[in-house]
Each structure stands twice: as structure tokens, then as C-alpha cells.
Amino acid sequence: MDFLIYFHDEEDEEAERIKAERVKEYAQRKSKKPALIAKSSILLDVKPWDDETVMSKLEECVRSIQMDGLLWGASKLVPVGYGIKKLQINCVVEDDKVGTDILEEEITKFEDYVQSVDIAAFNKI
């Protein structure tokens, strides 16, 4: 009887050792996976002062804004009325690095071209 108990204890120890190794391997694999980065897709309406504003220069100014976590996308000119067109431009931002308020502030610094900036759409990715 003593032999069976001793043999059983060895099996338990071996099973515990294997289980501990597997848990350790799982933890290592899990730690190697990159953390998900929260991103958002933002559609901005950038409005000029009047119909005489050079829209290509306005877009060039907006795209000149460079930040870590900011990627500019497609853009188009959308008629507003009375010959005035607004720039509608898409961008993708990393939520932890770029906020909408910072982005709007940077764009409105080009006060010779930009009257106002509105967020037309905001989607989490």
C-alpha cells in the first residue's frame, strides 16, 4: 500500500510541474502580443472665409500638421453655397496621442485660410 501512495504522489508532482510549465508558457505568449491601440476615424469640415480663399493652399496647410498618431486620409471639396466650398478631410488618430481639441486648435491656427473647423463624423475603429 505504501508503494502505491508513493507512486501516486510522483504522478501528482509531475502533473503539477507540467501544469505550471503550461501556465508559464501561456503567460509568455500572452505578454508577447502587442496591446491594442485605440484609434478613431474623424471626418472634419474645414470652412474657409470666403469664395476667394485658395482651397489648395488651405488643404496644404491642414495636411502640413504632423503629430505622432495622426494620419491624413482622403479629402474633397463640398459646395456650401454662394460659390463657397468647404474642405472635407478624413484622418485617423490614435486616441491616446491625438485629441480632437488639439487637432481643431492646430487647424484654426491657419487663420488666413480657416474660418472654422467642425467634426462631421467620429468613429472608433
Coordinates of all heavy atoms in Angstrom, one line a residue, residues 62-95:
V62 N -3.5 72.3 -43.8 CA -4.1 71.3 -43.0 C -3.2 70.1 -42.9 O -2.9 69.5 -41.9 CB -5.5 71.0 -43.4 CG1 -6.1 69.8 -42.6 CG2 -6.5 72.2 -43.1
R63 N -2.8 69.6 -44.1 CA -2.0 68.4 -44.2 C -0.6 68.6 -43.7 O 0.1 67.6 -43.4 CB -1.9 67.9 -45.7 CG -3.3 67.3 -46.1 CD -3.1 66.7 -47.5 NE -4.4 66.2 -48.0 CZ -4.8 64.9 -47.8 NH1 -4.1 64.1 -47.1 NH2 -6.0 64.5 -48.3
S64 N -0.2 69.8 -43.5 CA 1.2 70.1 -43.0 C 1.2 69.8 -41.5 O 2.3 69.7 -40.9 CB 1.6 71.5 -43.3 OG 0.9 72.4 -42.5
I65 N 0.1 69.7 -40.9 CA 0.1 69.3 -39.4 C 0.5 67.9 -39.3 O -0.1 67.0 -39.8 CB -1.3 69.6 -38.8 CG1 -1.8 71.0 -39.0 CG2 -1.4 69.1 -37.4 CD1 -3.2 71.3 -38.7
Q66 N 1.6 67.7 -38.6 CA 2.1 66.4 -38.3 C 2.2 66.1 -36.8 O 2.7 67.0 -36.1 CB 3.5 66.3 -38.9 CG 3.6 66.5 -40.4 CD 2.9 65.4 -41.2 OE1 3.1 64.2 -40.9 NE2 2.1 65.7 -42.2
M67 N 1.7 65.0 -36.4 CA 1.7 64.6 -35.0 C 1.9 63.1 -34.9 O 1.5 62.4 -35.9 CB 0.4 64.9 -34.3 CG 0.1 66.4 -34.1 SD -1.5 66.5 -33.2 CE -2.0 68.1 -33.7
D68 N 2.5 62.7 -33.9 CA 2.6 61.2 -33.6 C 1.2 60.7 -33.4 O 0.5 61.2 -32.5 CB 3.5 61.0 -32.4 CG 3.8 59.5 -32.2 OD1 3.9 58.8 -33.3 OD2 4.0 59.1 -31.1
G69 N 0.8 59.7 -34.2 CA -0.5 59.1 -34.0 C -1.6 59.8 -34.9 O -2.8 59.5 -34.8
L70 N -1.2 60.6 -35.9 CA -2.1 61.3 -36.8 C -1.8 60.9 -38.2 O -0.6 60.9 -38.7 CB -2.0 62.8 -36.7 CG -2.7 63.6 -37.7 CD1 -4.2 63.4 -37.6 CD2 -2.4 65.1 -37.6
L71 N -2.8 60.4 -39.0 CA -2.6 60.0 -40.4 C -3.7 60.6 -41.2 O -4.9 60.4 -41.0 CB -2.7 58.5 -40.5 CG -2.5 57.9 -41.9 CD1 -1.1 58.2 -42.5 CD2 -2.8 56.4 -41.9
W72 N -3.4 61.5 -42.1 CA -4.3 62.1 -43.0 C -4.8 61.2 -44.1 O -4.0 60.4 -44.6 CB -3.8 63.4 -43.6 CG -3.5 64.5 -42.6 CD1 -2.3 64.9 -42.2 CD2 -4.5 65.3 -41.9 NE1 -2.5 65.9 -41.3 CE2 -3.8 66.1 -41.1 CE3 -5.9 65.3 -41.9 CZ2 -4.4 67.0 -40.2 CZ3 -6.5 66.2 -41.1 CH2 -5.8 67.0 -40.2
G73 N -6.1 61.3 -44.4 CA -6.6 60.4 -45.5 C -7.2 61.2 -46.6 O -6.6 62.3 -47.0
A74 N -8.2 60.7 -47.2 CA -8.8 61.4 -48.4 C -9.5 62.7 -48.1 O -9.9 62.9 -46.9 CB -9.9 60.4 -49.0
S75 N -9.6 63.5 -49.1 CA -10.3 64.8 -48.9 C -11.1 65.2 -50.2 O -10.8 64.6 -51.2 CB -9.3 65.9 -48.6 OG -8.5 66.1 -49.7
K76 N -12.0 66.1 -50.0 CA -12.8 66.6 -51.2 C -13.4 67.9 -50.8 O -13.5 68.3 -49.7 CB -13.9 65.6 -51.6 CG -15.0 65.4 -50.6 CD -16.1 64.5 -51.0 CE -17.2 64.3 -50.0 NZ -18.2 63.3 -50.5
L77 N -13.7 68.7 -51.9 CA -14.3 70.0 -51.7 C -15.8 69.8 -51.8 O -16.3 69.2 -52.8 CB -13.7 71.0 -52.7 CG -12.3 71.3 -52.6 CD1 -11.8 72.2 -53.7 CD2 -11.9 71.9 -51.2
V78 N -16.5 70.3 -50.9 CA -18.0 70.2 -50.9 C -18.6 71.6 -51.0 O -18.3 72.5 -50.1 CB -18.5 69.5 -49.6 CG1 -20.0 69.4 -49.6 CG2 -17.8 68.1 -49.5
P79 N -19.5 71.8 -51.9 CA -20.1 73.2 -52.0 C -21.0 73.5 -50.8 O -21.7 72.6 -50.3 CB -21.0 73.0 -53.3 CG -20.6 71.8 -54.0 CD -19.9 70.9 -53.0
V80 N -20.9 74.7 -50.3 CA -21.6 75.2 -49.2 C -22.8 76.1 -49.7 O -23.9 76.0 -49.2 CB -20.8 75.9 -48.2 CG1 -21.6 76.5 -47.0 CG2 -19.7 75.0 -47.6
G81 N -22.4 77.0 -50.6 CA -23.4 77.9 -51.1 C -22.7 79.2 -51.5 O -21.6 79.5 -51.0
Y82 N -23.3 79.9 -52.4 CA -22.7 81.2 -52.9 C -21.3 81.1 -53.4 O -20.4 82.0 -53.2 CB -22.8 82.3 -51.8 CG -24.2 82.5 -51.3 CD1 -24.6 82.0 -50.1 CD2 -25.1 83.2 -52.0 CE1 -25.8 82.2 -49.6 CE2 -26.4 83.4 -51.6 CZ -26.8 82.9 -50.3 OH -28.0 83.1 -49.9
G83 N -21.0 79.9 -54.0 CA -19.6 79.7 -54.6 C -18.6 79.3 -53.6 O -17.4 79.1 -53.9
I84 N -19.0 79.2 -52.3 CA -18.0 78.8 -51.3 C -18.0 77.3 -51.1 O -19.1 76.6 -51.2 CB -18.4 79.4 -49.9 CG1 -18.3 81.0 -50.0 CG2 -17.4 78.9 -48.8 CD1 -18.8 81.7 -48.8
K85 N -16.8 76.7 -51.0 CA -16.7 75.3 -50.8 C -15.9 75.0 -49.5 O -15.1 75.8 -49.2 CB -15.9 74.6 -52.0 CG -16.7 74.7 -53.3 CD -15.9 74.1 -54.4 CE -16.6 74.1 -55.7 NZ -15.9 73.5 -56.8
K86 N -16.3 74.0 -48.8 CA -15.6 73.6 -47.6 C -14.7 72.4 -47.9 O -15.0 71.6 -48.8 CB -16.5 73.3 -46.5 CG -17.4 72.1 -46.7 CD -18.3 71.9 -45.5 CE -19.3 70.7 -45.8 NZ -20.3 70.6 -44.7
L87 N -13.6 72.3 -47.2 CA -12.7 71.1 -47.3 C -13.2 70.1 -46.4 O -13.3 70.3 -45.2 CB -11.3 71.5 -47.0 CG -10.3 70.4 -46.9 CD1 -10.1 69.7 -48.3 CD2 -9.0 70.8 -46.4
Q88 N -13.5 68.9 -46.9 CA -13.9 67.8 -46.1 C -12.8 66.8 -46.1 O -12.4 66.3 -47.2 CB -15.2 67.1 -46.6 CG -16.0 66.4 -45.5 CD -17.4 66.0 -46.0 OE1 -17.5 65.4 -47.0 NE2 -18.4 66.5 -45.3
I89 N -12.1 66.6 -45.0 CA -10.9 65.8 -44.9 C -11.0 64.7 -43.8 O -11.5 65.0 -42.7 CB -9.7 66.6 -44.8 CG1 -8.4 65.8 -45.0 CG2 -9.7 67.4 -43.5 CD1 -7.1 66.7 -45.2
N90 N -10.5 63.5 -44.1 CA -10.6 62.4 -43.2 C -9.2 62.2 -42.6 O -8.2 62.4 -43.2 CB -11.0 61.1 -44.0 CG -11.4 60.0 -43.0 OD1 -11.9 60.2 -42.0 ND2 -11.2 58.8 -43.5
C91 N -9.2 61.8 -41.3 CA -7.9 61.4 -40.7 C -8.2 60.3 -39.7 O -9.3 60.1 -39.2 CB -7.3 62.6 -40.0 SG -8.2 63.3 -38.6
V92 N -7.1 59.6 -39.4 CA -7.2 58.5 -38.4 C -6.2 58.9 -37.3 O -5.1 59.3 -37.6 CB -6.8 57.1 -39.0 CG1 -6.7 56.1 -37.9 CG2 -7.7 56.7 -40.1
V93 N -6.7 58.9 -36.0 CA -5.9 59.3 -34.9 C -5.8 58.1 -33.9 O -6.7 57.4 -33.7 CB -6.4 60.6 -34.2 CG1 -6.4 61.7 -35.2 CG2 -7.8 60.4 -33.7
E94 N -4.7 58.1 -33.2 CA -4.6 57.2 -32.0 C -5.1 58.0 -30.8 O -4.6 59.1 -30.5 CB -3.1 56.8 -31.8 CG -2.6 55.9 -32.8 CD -1.1 55.5 -32.6 OE1 -0.7 55.5 -31.4 OE2 -0.4 55.2 -33.5
D95 N -6.1 57.5 -30.2 CA -6.9 58.2 -29.2 C -6.0 58.7 -28.0 O -6.2 59.8 -27.5 CB -8.0 57.3 -28.6 CG -9.0 57.0 -29.7 OD1 -9.0 57.7 -30.7 OD2 -9.9 56.1 -29.4

